[in-house]
Short mmCIF file of all heavy atoms in Angstrom, two decimals:
data_model
loop_
_atom_site.label_atom_id
_atom_site.label_comp_id
_atom_site.label_asym_id
_atom_site.label_seq_id
_atom_site.Cartn_x
_atom_site.Cartn_y
_atom_site.Cartn_z
N THR A 115 27.65 18.88 -3.98
CA THR A 115 28.85 18.05 -3.85
C THR A 115 28.72 16.98 -4.94
O THR A 115 28.76 15.84 -4.68
CB THR A 115 28.87 17.35 -2.55
OG1 THR A 115 27.55 16.81 -2.26
CG2 THR A 115 29.25 18.27 -1.42
N LEU A 116 28.60 17.49 -6.16
CA LEU A 116 28.10 16.52 -7.25
C LEU A 116 29.29 15.64 -7.78
O LEU A 116 30.43 16.05 -7.80
CB LEU A 116 27.57 17.36 -8.38
CG LEU A 116 26.32 18.17 -8.05
CD1 LEU A 116 25.81 18.96 -9.26
CD2 LEU A 116 25.14 17.21 -7.63
N SER A 117 28.89 14.45 -8.14
CA SER A 117 29.81 13.55 -8.76
C SER A 117 30.12 14.08 -10.25
O SER A 117 29.43 14.92 -10.72
CB SER A 117 29.23 12.16 -8.88
OG SER A 117 28.11 12.21 -9.76
N SER A 118 31.08 13.48 -10.88
CA SER A 118 31.46 13.93 -12.25
C SER A 118 30.33 13.69 -13.19
O SER A 118 29.97 14.55 -14.06
CB SER A 118 32.75 13.26 -12.72
OG SER A 118 32.53 11.87 -12.71
N ASP A 119 29.54 12.53 -13.05
CA ASP A 119 28.38 12.28 -13.88
C ASP A 119 27.34 13.37 -13.66
O ASP A 119 26.77 13.88 -14.66
CB ASP A 119 27.78 10.89 -13.58
CG ASP A 119 28.49 9.75 -14.23
OD1 ASP A 119 29.30 10.03 -15.18
OD2 ASP A 119 28.28 8.66 -13.81
N ALA A 120 27.10 13.68 -12.38
CA ALA A 120 26.03 14.70 -12.12
C ALA A 120 26.44 16.08 -12.55
O ALA A 120 25.63 16.84 -13.10
CB ALA A 120 25.76 14.66 -10.64
N LEU A 121 27.77 16.37 -12.47
CA LEU A 121 28.21 17.66 -12.95
C LEU A 121 28.05 17.79 -14.49
O LEU A 121 27.59 18.84 -14.93
CB LEU A 121 29.70 17.88 -12.61
CG LEU A 121 29.98 18.31 -11.13
CD1 LEU A 121 31.48 18.24 -10.87
CD2 LEU A 121 29.39 19.73 -10.95
N ALA A 122 28.29 16.69 -15.16
CA ALA A 122 28.14 16.71 -16.57
C ALA A 122 26.63 16.94 -17.00
O ALA A 122 26.30 17.66 -17.89
CB ALA A 122 28.63 15.40 -17.26
N SER A 123 25.78 16.21 -16.26
CA SER A 123 24.31 16.39 -16.49
C SER A 123 23.85 17.82 -16.18
O SER A 123 23.06 18.39 -16.88
CB SER A 123 23.52 15.40 -15.67
OG SER A 123 23.81 14.13 -16.03
N LEU A 124 24.43 18.38 -15.03
CA LEU A 124 24.09 19.81 -14.71
C LEU A 124 24.53 20.70 -15.82
O LEU A 124 23.72 21.61 -16.28
CB LEU A 124 24.80 20.14 -13.38
CG LEU A 124 24.71 21.59 -12.97
CD1 LEU A 124 23.28 22.03 -12.65
CD2 LEU A 124 25.58 21.85 -11.73
N ALA A 125 25.73 20.48 -16.34
CA ALA A 125 26.19 21.40 -17.39
C ALA A 125 25.30 21.22 -18.63
O ALA A 125 24.95 22.23 -19.30
CB ALA A 125 27.62 20.99 -17.78
N ARG A 126 24.84 20.03 -18.99
CA ARG A 126 23.96 19.84 -20.11
C ARG A 126 22.70 20.64 -19.83
O ARG A 126 22.14 21.35 -20.70
CB ARG A 126 23.67 18.34 -20.35
CG ARG A 126 24.68 17.70 -21.21
CD ARG A 126 24.30 16.33 -21.69
NE ARG A 126 24.23 15.39 -20.60
CZ ARG A 126 25.28 14.61 -20.23
NH1 ARG A 126 26.47 14.77 -20.85
NH2 ARG A 126 25.21 13.77 -19.28
N ALA A 127 22.13 20.51 -18.65
CA ALA A 127 20.90 21.14 -18.35
C ALA A 127 21.10 22.65 -18.39
O ALA A 127 20.18 23.40 -18.82
CB ALA A 127 20.34 20.71 -16.97
N GLN A 128 22.22 23.14 -17.92
CA GLN A 128 22.43 24.61 -17.89
C GLN A 128 22.59 25.23 -19.28
O GLN A 128 22.39 26.43 -19.46
CB GLN A 128 23.76 24.90 -17.01
CG GLN A 128 23.44 24.83 -15.56
CD GLN A 128 24.66 25.01 -14.72
OE1 GLN A 128 25.78 24.52 -15.07
NE2 GLN A 128 24.55 25.64 -13.51
N SER A 129 22.85 24.30 -20.23
CA SER A 129 23.00 24.88 -21.56
C SER A 129 21.58 24.92 -22.24
O SER A 129 21.48 25.24 -23.41
CB SER A 129 23.94 24.03 -22.41
OG SER A 129 23.38 22.67 -22.50
N CYS A 130 20.53 24.58 -21.54
CA CYS A 130 19.17 24.57 -22.10
C CYS A 130 18.40 25.75 -21.67
O CYS A 130 18.76 26.41 -20.72
CB CYS A 130 18.42 23.34 -21.62
SG CYS A 130 18.97 21.85 -22.28
N ALA A 131 17.21 25.97 -22.34
CA ALA A 131 16.32 27.01 -21.93
C ALA A 131 15.52 26.56 -20.70
O ALA A 131 14.37 26.16 -20.79
CB ALA A 131 15.35 27.37 -23.09
N ILE A 132 16.15 26.52 -19.57
CA ILE A 132 15.52 26.12 -18.30
C ILE A 132 15.65 27.22 -17.28
O ILE A 132 16.54 28.04 -17.31
CB ILE A 132 16.25 24.87 -17.79
CG1 ILE A 132 15.89 23.64 -18.65
CG2 ILE A 132 15.93 24.55 -16.32
CD1 ILE A 132 16.67 22.38 -18.30
N HIS A 133 14.55 27.33 -16.42
CA HIS A 133 14.59 28.41 -15.46
C HIS A 133 15.20 27.86 -14.17
O HIS A 133 14.81 26.82 -13.71
CB HIS A 133 13.14 28.90 -15.14
CG HIS A 133 12.40 29.28 -16.35
ND1 HIS A 133 12.36 30.58 -16.82
CD2 HIS A 133 11.72 28.61 -17.36
CE1 HIS A 133 11.65 30.67 -17.91
NE2 HIS A 133 11.24 29.38 -18.27
N TRP A 134 16.09 28.55 -13.58
CA TRP A 134 16.82 28.08 -12.40
C TRP A 134 16.44 28.89 -11.16
O TRP A 134 16.36 30.14 -11.14
CB TRP A 134 18.38 28.22 -12.60
CG TRP A 134 18.83 27.29 -13.70
CD1 TRP A 134 18.78 27.58 -15.06
CD2 TRP A 134 19.21 25.96 -13.60
NE1 TRP A 134 19.19 26.46 -15.75
CE2 TRP A 134 19.50 25.47 -14.86
CE3 TRP A 134 19.32 25.15 -12.47
CZ2 TRP A 134 19.89 24.11 -15.11
CZ3 TRP A 134 19.82 23.84 -12.68
CH2 TRP A 134 20.08 23.30 -14.02
N TRP A 135 16.31 28.17 -10.04
CA TRP A 135 15.99 28.77 -8.76
C TRP A 135 16.91 28.15 -7.65
O TRP A 135 17.25 27.02 -7.72
CB TRP A 135 14.53 28.50 -8.38
CG TRP A 135 13.46 28.86 -9.34
CD1 TRP A 135 13.08 28.23 -10.47
CD2 TRP A 135 12.70 30.08 -9.21
NE1 TRP A 135 12.09 28.88 -11.11
CE2 TRP A 135 11.80 30.06 -10.41
CE3 TRP A 135 12.64 31.15 -8.36
CZ2 TRP A 135 10.91 31.13 -10.61
CZ3 TRP A 135 11.71 32.10 -8.58
CH2 TRP A 135 10.93 32.10 -9.70
N ASP A 136 17.21 28.96 -6.71
CA ASP A 136 17.82 28.45 -5.52
C ASP A 136 16.76 28.06 -4.49
O ASP A 136 15.66 28.70 -4.52
CB ASP A 136 18.80 29.47 -4.88
CG ASP A 136 19.50 28.89 -3.72
OD1 ASP A 136 20.39 27.99 -3.89
OD2 ASP A 136 19.16 29.12 -2.54
N VAL A 137 17.02 27.10 -3.68
CA VAL A 137 15.95 26.58 -2.77
C VAL A 137 15.49 27.67 -1.81
O VAL A 137 14.40 27.60 -1.23
CB VAL A 137 16.50 25.33 -2.00
CG1 VAL A 137 17.62 25.64 -1.01
CG2 VAL A 137 15.40 24.54 -1.39
N GLN A 138 16.36 28.71 -1.56
CA GLN A 138 15.92 29.83 -0.70
C GLN A 138 15.15 30.85 -1.48
O GLN A 138 14.62 31.78 -0.83
CB GLN A 138 17.23 30.45 -0.10
CG GLN A 138 18.12 29.56 0.72
CD GLN A 138 17.45 28.97 2.00
OE1 GLN A 138 16.36 29.45 2.41
NE2 GLN A 138 17.92 27.84 2.45
N ASP A 139 15.11 30.78 -2.77
CA ASP A 139 14.34 31.80 -3.59
C ASP A 139 12.79 31.63 -3.42
O ASP A 139 12.38 30.55 -2.92
CB ASP A 139 14.61 31.65 -5.03
CG ASP A 139 16.04 32.01 -5.37
OD1 ASP A 139 16.67 32.64 -4.52
OD2 ASP A 139 16.49 31.64 -6.45
N GLN A 140 12.05 32.61 -3.71
CA GLN A 140 10.59 32.53 -3.66
C GLN A 140 10.08 31.95 -4.97
O GLN A 140 9.64 32.65 -5.89
CB GLN A 140 9.98 33.88 -3.43
CG GLN A 140 10.37 34.54 -2.07
CD GLN A 140 9.86 33.73 -0.92
OE1 GLN A 140 8.70 33.38 -0.83
NE2 GLN A 140 10.67 33.43 0.08
N TYR A 141 10.11 30.59 -5.09
CA TYR A 141 9.65 29.96 -6.39
C TYR A 141 8.16 29.56 -6.26
O TYR A 141 7.61 28.92 -7.15
CB TYR A 141 10.53 28.73 -6.62
CG TYR A 141 10.56 27.77 -5.48
CD1 TYR A 141 9.58 26.87 -5.21
CD2 TYR A 141 11.71 27.76 -4.62
CE1 TYR A 141 9.62 26.03 -4.11
CE2 TYR A 141 11.76 26.92 -3.54
CZ TYR A 141 10.68 26.01 -3.24
OH TYR A 141 10.78 25.22 -2.23
N GLU A 142 7.51 29.98 -5.15
CA GLU A 142 6.08 29.57 -4.91
C GLU A 142 5.17 29.81 -6.10
O GLU A 142 4.30 28.95 -6.36
CB GLU A 142 5.55 30.19 -3.68
CG GLU A 142 5.95 29.42 -2.36
CD GLU A 142 7.35 29.70 -1.91
OE1 GLU A 142 8.04 30.47 -2.63
OE2 GLU A 142 7.82 29.13 -0.92
N PRO A 143 5.25 30.95 -6.76
CA PRO A 143 4.33 31.18 -7.90
C PRO A 143 4.40 30.07 -8.90
O PRO A 143 3.35 29.66 -9.46
CB PRO A 143 4.80 32.54 -8.45
CG PRO A 143 5.38 33.22 -7.31
CD PRO A 143 6.09 32.17 -6.46
N VAL A 144 5.61 29.48 -9.14
CA VAL A 144 5.73 28.41 -10.09
C VAL A 144 5.17 27.13 -9.48
O VAL A 144 4.43 26.36 -10.19
CB VAL A 144 7.22 28.16 -10.51
CG1 VAL A 144 7.29 27.02 -11.55
CG2 VAL A 144 7.90 29.47 -10.93
N LEU A 145 5.45 26.96 -8.27
CA LEU A 145 4.85 25.73 -7.53
C LEU A 145 3.37 25.73 -7.56
O LEU A 145 2.77 24.70 -7.87
CB LEU A 145 5.35 25.77 -6.05
CG LEU A 145 4.83 24.56 -5.25
CD1 LEU A 145 5.53 23.23 -5.59
CD2 LEU A 145 5.18 24.79 -3.74
N GLU A 146 2.79 26.88 -7.45
CA GLU A 146 1.28 27.01 -7.46
C GLU A 146 0.69 26.83 -8.83
O GLU A 146 -0.58 26.52 -8.88
CB GLU A 146 0.89 28.27 -6.80
CG GLU A 146 0.93 28.09 -5.27
CD GLU A 146 1.19 29.43 -4.54
OE1 GLU A 146 0.83 30.48 -5.11
OE2 GLU A 146 1.72 29.34 -3.38
#
Side-chain angles (χ1 to χ4, degrees):
T115 47
L116 296 178
S117 66
S118 56
D119 277 347
L121 279 170
S123 294
L124 172 63
R126 274 193 287 274
Q128 281 174 325
S129 62
C130 292
I132 285 173
H133 306 266
W134 293 88
W135 301 83
D136 182 74
V137 70
Q138 303 296 343
D139 293 342
Q140 297 295 314
Y141 53 80
E142 277 75 3
V144 184
L145 181 69
E146 279 152 25

